[in-house]
Amino acid sequence: MVELIIGRWVRRPGILTGLALFFVAIATWLFLGLRTEPVVPVFSQPWQPPLHSGTNLLWVGDGWNWYISGLILLLGGVGILLELNNVGSVQGQGRRRHPALAVHLGVLAAGLLFVGSGNVLTTMLTWVVLDLFILVRGTLQPEGDDGERPGGASTQQARGLSLLGALLLLIGLLPAGPLGPGQPLQGGSLPPETLLLMFLASLIRAGIYPFHLWLLSPERPQLDVAERLLDHMIPVLCGLWLLGWTMDLGTEFFLPQADIVALLLLSLLGSALAAWTAQQQPDHTTLVLVTSAGLAALASALAYNRGPEGLIWPTTAFALGGALWLVGDQVWQAWGWQIPVSVGALALVGVPFTPGFLTQPAVARLLILGDFFYLLLFGLFVVAQSMQIAALLQSWSTAQKVELPTLQPGVLVRLLVAAVLLGLALAITGFFPETIAGLASMPEAIPPTLGNPPNVVAEVPVWIALGLPLLLGIGLVMVQPALWRMLGPWPERLSVLSRLEWLFQMGWWGVNRASVAWGTVLNVVEGAGYVGWVLVFLLMGYLLVR
């Protein structure tokens, strides 16, 4: 609100962006202050709807909630900072600064409210608030950009698909009874039907393949990093946060479930194929991040410690590694410095001294379990991760590189500031995982198959799970040019098929046809044909009486 009011008189983008970052700094200061509280910070507000039993809206500022809030603040602040780089570019033409920045702050605030939720009711209501801000932000497109992608799929329409998750949460409250909305996310008790719907809702919120369509960016020749950070990574972090609590609530329901692991692996395989065969840079980048989130979901199902303790490291690798990979790619194109994009990619791969390395013990359990079915699933993981690594390595290929327009003053400085902030956070989490686990109130988050120090010492299955896909991924990159020439048009066809936009188009067409048919029926029964139906029933009554 303050941003909107001041923006009516102040038009300089630098001042408005500085004001937005000032609000982010205040939120960060309050966030850090929560760790000094002698008791767990809790805020509760009574909620009493008409004709229903009431409960409390609950927010908790500790543990998993606190940790994800910190990641959201970091990514949101970097996104707002880099949004200033769009001034004068194609993405920034025709866009008014103060409404856009106000909506950016709204997305950030709604994300913090979402991941601070303490019960199911608060989660559902803040979900809707977050989606509304995302939809409003999608309307602030530059003039002449209607958000249409090839084939006619509208990005704005697809973004509304994430609201299905809130609907699933609402339906899931029905079997939970009158006490369901007030059940705490930590230590609560929910029936299996509710847990299953919460699991599906968290996959939708996290954009796990095939629920990724609402994350696809508008078709542009150049990637908008700020858009990916605010519209993609922050909502996905919210989904992974919900997935962590869902796994914690349903420990006995989800462990062990070979069918759930198999479905998540098939999802990972599909998104990795889509990322590897993507032809355009925005699609390639989005699908690499979707695959990274899918790996986090798979790790949550295989982790030694269930719930948030099993998701903290893959979520950190996705957030910090993915963001540094995005920003580092821009730094490389603008300045030729490859270290940031390389470090971000290595974090997503999961090499030692990164939080991604602490994810490897989870997928290595596919080898340790010893069952033939799990060995087959490990083979699928190797194929999927190899394609993901090959897609990441495409960032260095000349075909993927896109020349940036003439740099405006300060663009490179802002990119370097963002890269340093993200790189510093990634280094701290990679080199001091025990400290991070302690700050997040998760002392048992270090997997037992890791040694001392846990960021570089591990058992043999962990190194197999890391090294085998890495070698095959490098091999795929080496043979890819010859393989693409041999396959001809099939890689592009596979890309179109695996992105699943055709599925959205078919679904949207079916909804439109059903709406038209229903409208025709209502028009005949209740509209212009109403008198005719009255005459028909009168005639039938007369004949029956006669």
Side-chain angles (χ1 to χ4, degrees):
M1 185 62 69
V2 175
E3 188 81 27
L4 280 174
I5 295 173
I6 296 180
R8 295 177 64 88
W9 290 278
V10 179
R11 297 294 183 178
R12 295 184 62 181
I15 295 178
L16 294 175
T17 302
L19 180 62
L21 291 175
F22 173 71
F23 291 130
V24 175
I26 292 177
T28 303
W29 178 70
L30 295 174
F31 159 78
L32 295 175
L34 293 177
R35 298 304 300 166
T36 63
E37 295 292 329
V39 295
V40 175
V42 175
F43 177 78
S44 180
Q45 180 68 29
W47 184 76
Q48 179 61 59
L51 306 178
H52 289 279
S53 58
T55 184
N56 288 331
L57 297 176
L58 180 65
W59 286 271
V60 180
D62 188 46
W64 183 234
N65 295 11
W66 181 85
Y67 184 76
I68 298 297
S69 297
L71 295 178
I72 288 177
L73 280 171
L74 177 59
L75 298 190
V78 170
I80 292 174
L81 174 66
L82 296 183
E83 177 69 17
L84 188 58
N85 286 1
N86 291 334
V87 177
S89 67
V90 175
Q91 291 98 323
Q93 293 175 0
R95 181 181 294 178
R96 300 177 66 187
R97 306 303 306 167
H98 61 286
L101 288 171
V103 175
H104 298 343
L105 291 173
V107 171
L108 188 57
L112 292 174
L113 288 175
F114 183 84
V115 301
S117 301
N119 57 24
V120 181
L121 174 66
T122 312
T123 302
M124 182 179 62
L125 295 180
T126 52
W127 181 312
V128 176
V129 174
L130 176 60
D131 271 346
L132 289 178
F133 274 106
I134 293 176
L135 291 174
V136 170
R137 190 184 187 281
T139 62
L140 300 176
Q141 297 286 347
E143 292 179 0
D145 186 359
D146 57 359
E148 292 289 333
R149 298 179 57 82
S154 172
T155 305
Q156 191 67 1
Q157 293 170 347
R159 280 175 177 166
L161 293 176
S162 61
L163 284 169
L164 292 176
L167 180 60
L168 290 177
L169 285 179
L170 179 62
I171 297 174
L173 291 178
L174 297 178
L179 298 179
Q183 286 295 316
L185 295 177
Q186 184 174 12
S189 178
L190 293 171
E193 298 83 3
T194 302
L195 292 173
L196 179 60
L197 291 176
M198 283 184 63
F199 178 72
L200 292 176
S202 63
L203 296 184
I204 294 175
R205 177 80 282 172
I208 306 300
Y209 189 91
F211 306 114
H212 68 289
L213 294 174
W214 64 277
L215 291 173
L216 294 177
S217 60
E219 187 68 17
R220 297 191 184 109
Q222 180 187 334
L223 180 71
D224 187 348
V225 176
E227 178 200 33
R228 289 296 86 195
L229 290 172
L230 294 166
D231 288 355
H232 184 146
M233 300 196 72
I234 288 180
V236 170
L237 276 176
C238 294
L240 294 176
W241 166 86
L242 180 59
L243 180 62
W245 283 129
T246 303
M247 288 293 183
D248 186 61
L249 287 169
T251 299
E252 297 180 357
F253 179 72
F254 293 110
L255 177 68
Q257 289 286 348
D259 50 352
I260 292 180
V261 174
L263 289 175
L264 291 175
L265 265 171
L266 291 176
S267 167
L268 186 71
L269 185 64
S271 61
L273 177 63
W276 184 44
T277 57
Q279 305 295 312
Q280 302 296 327
Q281 188 197 27
D283 286 336
H284 166 260
T285 303
T286 300
L287 290 167
V288 165
L289 294 176
V290 167
T291 307
S292 300
L295 178 60
L298 175 65
S300 71
L302 290 169
Y304 288 92
N305 300 314
R306 309 298 292 180
E309 291 183 342
L311 257 175
I312 181 173
W313 306 121
T315 301
T316 305
F318 163 78
L320 300 181
L324 185 59
W325 178 66
L326 285 175
V327 175
D329 184 66
Q330 297 283 298
V331 172
W332 174 45
Q333 295 179 34
W335 198 27
W337 189 29
Q338 294 189 11
I339 292 180
V341 66
S342 302
V343 173
L346 291 174
L348 293 177
V349 172
V351 300
F353 297 106
T354 68
F357 183 74
L358 282 81
T359 304
Q360 302 298 335
V363 294
R365 289 193 72 189
L366 294 171
L367 285 172
I368 297 174
L369 291 173
D371 187 84
F372 175 76
F373 181 70
Y374 283 103
L375 292 178
L376 180 63
L377 293 182
F378 179 76
L380 290 178
F381 164 75
V382 171
V383 173
Q385 185 70 351
S386 300
M387 290 190 291
Q388 167 75 341
I389 293 173
L392 281 168
L393 294 179
Q394 287 179 15
S395 301
W396 287 267
S397 67
T398 56
Q400 285 293 115
K401 190 172 180 179
V402 179
E403 294 295 333
L404 291 178
T406 303
L407 294 180
Q408 302 294 325
V411 168
L412 184 57
V413 173
R414 287 187 287 272
L415 285 172
L416 291 177
V417 169
V420 169
L421 288 175
L422 294 170
L424 183 61
L426 184 61
I428 292 174
T429 55
F431 281 90
F432 307 103
E434 298 99 333
T435 303
I436 297 301
L439 284 174
S441 302
M442 302 179 193
E444 304 297 327
I446 305 298
T449 54
L450 297 179
N452 188 21
N455 49 11
V456 70
V457 178
E459 297 179 358
V460 174
V462 175
W463 293 106
I464 295 176
L466 171 62
L468 190 56
L470 184 59
L471 293 176
L472 290 178
I474 295 174
L476 280 179
V477 172
M478 296 176 63
V479 304
Q480 182 172 336
L483 182 62
W484 259 219
R485 286 193 300 268
M486 182 178 64
L487 294 178
W490 282 103
E492 185 175 358
R493 294 174 183 174
L494 280 175
S495 176
V496 173
L497 182 65
S498 58
R499 284 204 310 267
L500 299 184
E501 291 181 270
W502 56 271
L503 185 61
F504 172 78
Q505 296 169 25
M506 289 179 57
W508 192 257
W509 180 86
V511 170
N512 286 334
R513 297 288 78 77
S515 177
V516 170
W518 181 248
T520 303
V521 171
L522 291 180
N523 189 51
V524 171
V525 176
E526 298 181 351
Y530 178 77
V531 176
W533 283 108
V534 171
L535 294 177
V536 168
F537 281 113
L538 289 175
L539 178 60
M540 290 177 61
Y542 170 76
L543 294 176
L544 289 174
V545 172
R546 184 181 177 187

